[in-house]
Amino acid sequence: MTGALHGIRVIDVSRILGGPYAGQVLGDHGADVIKVEPPAGDDTRTWGPPFQGDTASYFLGLNRNKRAIALDLRKPEGREVLLRLLEDADVLLENYKTGTLEAWGIGHDVLAERFPRLIHCCVTGFGADGPFGGLPGYDAILQAMGGVMSVNGQADGEPTRVGLPVVDMVTGLNAVIGIMMALHERNHSGKGQYVEAALFDTSLSLLHPHAANYFLSGKVPQRSGNSHPNIAPYSTYATGTRPLYLAVGNDGQFRKLCQLIGVPGLPGDARFATNADRLINRDALRHELEAALAGFKAEELAPHLIASGVPAGPVLDVAEALALPHTEHRGMVVRKDGYRGLGAPVKLTRTGPDYRAAPPEFAQHSDEILREHGFSDQQITELRDSGVAPTRRR
């Protein structure tokens, strides 16, 4: 095993998205991640089609670089096995509903006393306390309640869910950040601590610049489609082929854009002289720009613009984005034993990500993990036969 987190062991008992995504990030960077699933398996194993065998693509996208074991933690014997796994672990990653571990007699206070160096990271919906404390969290619900949907969508349309589970995924990243902070602090104190990453907090944290605008102006932010609320031209614009996104952040870039698309006099128009002017007159600006852009192909113009210092890109679909030569160059598509997935976005020069193993089959490594933690073959057989450590999904 290689990577910046080589030597760190993570017990990942989380399910669905935020927690498992955090576990995969840790595994990509060298941590030994043991995924503990309930007897029925992680729910996302069934979230298809498409399927590979009996495992859905949703699960495959979140669980590589992990070893898998199944434990029925509702049974005392299952919890005893978990405690054995935690004896040499650095991190416990879980997203159980608030109070579940306490009801099982293995809440944070118990774990902290027994394993004082353990980093216990919990991914929650709303946090453990407060008016919404302990309630379960789901990405789309938090997009709705956290204000994200209110600013997403066309101005004359309905509030719209962002087309990917952004709150879940960023919460997973926040969990990783918290774990890394706690591991660093442990180097000085020798003590573990509790790390919480809540979907509600994450949803609110994503509200830039809308929250900043509201704090300063008192005006409730509205939907603006693909247009930026503070900058123009900063939106998708029609061309002779597909839409082109322009992200023009200053007057110099605007002048350069106008020169390159054949309307050099446009910056001299008082309506478009400054960003504030362009923002006020964004509809008129769109009309002028799209009239000029109609003679260009977005996929040909965009590389010329960005190479000249004008931020621009064609709107690509998922297949086109994954097929870009730069995607391959950046190592953003992983291929391993018939598995394909997205690569790690963080690179380190000496200890970069390492894709050691495809996502595991259900309980694939049960015997191996149990033997590592001192269980005899007879005990392993008993655990399997009793349903405490099943090797087949129920």
Side-chain angles (χ1 to χ4, degrees):
M1 295 176 64
T2 61
L5 298 179
H6 173 62
I8 296 296
R9 175 163 285 180
V10 179
I11 307 302
D12 178 5
V13 298
S14 65
R15 292 99 51 223
I16 314 296
L17 205 167
Y21 183 55
Q24 178 169 284
V25 172
L26 298 170
D28 283 350
H29 288 279
D32 177 19
V33 181
I34 296 176
K35 182 176 181 66
V36 179
E37 296 182 64
D42 189 317
D43 287 353
T44 60
R45 285 188 181 272
T46 68
W47 286 11
F51 289 94
Q52 184 177 74
D54 63 352
T55 300
S57 58
Y58 208 104
F59 177 91
L60 298 176
L62 300 168
N63 289 285
R64 68 168 171 250
N65 283 334
K66 300 180 184 181
R67 297 188 291 158
I69 184 173
L71 290 176
D72 190 343
L73 297 181
R74 296 168 301 178
K75 298 181 178 181
E77 299 87 350
R79 299 195 287 273
E80 284 301 316
V81 175
L82 176 63
L83 292 172
R84 290 274 287 272
L85 300 186
L86 291 174
E87 288 177 356
D88 63 353
D90 298 281
V91 178
L92 169 65
L93 177 60
E94 51 99 355
N95 59 356
Y96 281 107
K97 186 177 179 180
T98 300
T100 299
L101 294 186
E102 286 75 11
W104 287 345
I106 53 172
H108 174 67
D109 291 345
V110 173
L111 295 176
E113 182 175 356
R114 184 162 177 174
F115 310 111
R117 289 177 55 82
L118 182 69
I119 309 300
H120 179 179
C121 179
C122 183
V123 175
T124 70
F126 293 88
D129 51 19
F132 297 147
L135 293 177
Y138 304 92
D139 177 271
I141 305 305
L142 271 302
Q143 286 196 37
M145 293 183 65
V148 174
M149 283 177 57
S150 76
V151 295
N152 189 53
Q154 296 301 321
D156 58 352
E158 294 293 321
T160 304
R161 181 184 73 88
V162 177
L164 50 86
V166 60
V167 175
D168 270 336
M169 295 186 72
V170 176
T171 302
L173 294 176
N174 287 341
V176 172
I177 293 169
I179 288 168
M180 299 312 300
M181 290 177 178
L183 286 171
H184 175 74
E185 193 279 336
R186 192 181 70 174
N187 290 333
H188 302 285
S189 68
K191 299 178 181 179
Q193 58 182 303
Y194 186 75
V195 175
E196 185 183 54
L199 274 69
F200 181 78
D201 300 352
T202 294
S203 185
L204 293 173
S205 77
L206 294 172
L207 291 179
H208 186 78
H210 304 288
N213 290 344
Y214 173 71
F215 289 145
L216 195 59
S217 72
K219 297 179 180 179
V220 177
Q222 302 298 310
R223 292 178 296 285
S224 56
N226 289 325
S227 299
H228 197 289
N230 296 62
I231 311 170
Y234 204 115
S235 184
T236 49
Y237 297 87
T239 70
T241 53
R242 67 175 75 215
L244 174 75
Y245 206 103
L246 296 173
V248 176
N250 57 56
D251 295 341
Q253 290 178 351
F254 181 61
R255 288 192 295 270
K256 174 69 74 171
L257 167 68
C258 293
Q259 291 171 4
L260 293 174
I261 64 174
V263 285
L266 208 58
D269 189 318
R271 296 174 299 170
F272 313 131
T274 68
N275 178 70
D277 297 322
R278 295 190 291 273
L279 202 61
I280 293 170
N281 298 290
R282 70 164 83 224
D283 291 340
L285 177 62
R286 174 176 294 278
H287 176 77
E288 297 288 347
L289 290 177
E290 291 189 334
L293 290 169
F296 293 91
K297 296 179 179 179
E299 53 272 31
E300 296 177 357
L301 178 61
H304 181 53
L305 289 177
I306 198 167
S308 301
V310 179
V315 178
L316 304 179
D317 63 29
V318 171
E320 290 171 322
L322 293 176
L324 286 171
H326 200 66
T327 301
E328 185 73 21
H329 175 77
R330 294 295 299 172
M332 286 306 298
V333 173
V334 176
R335 299 172 180 85
K336 181 77 174 182
D337 300 332
Y339 156 83
R340 284 194 302 167
L342 293 174
V346 177
K347 278 79 171 174
L348 291 81
T349 56
R350 292 187 296 101
T351 55
D354 179 17
Y355 310 112
R356 304 176 302 280
E361 297 177 7
F362 177 78
Q364 180 179 342
H365 307 92
S366 286
D367 290 1
E368 170 188 312
I369 292 167
L370 291 170
R371 289 192 184 101
E372 283 180 4
H373 291 84
F375 289 88
S376 68
D377 289 348
Q378 180 179 345
Q379 289 174 316
I380 292 172
T381 299
E382 292 172 352
L383 289 170
R384 184 187 305 125
D385 292 345
S386 67
V388 171
T391 54
R392 294 183 180 181
R393 284 159 57 186
R394 290 181 187 170

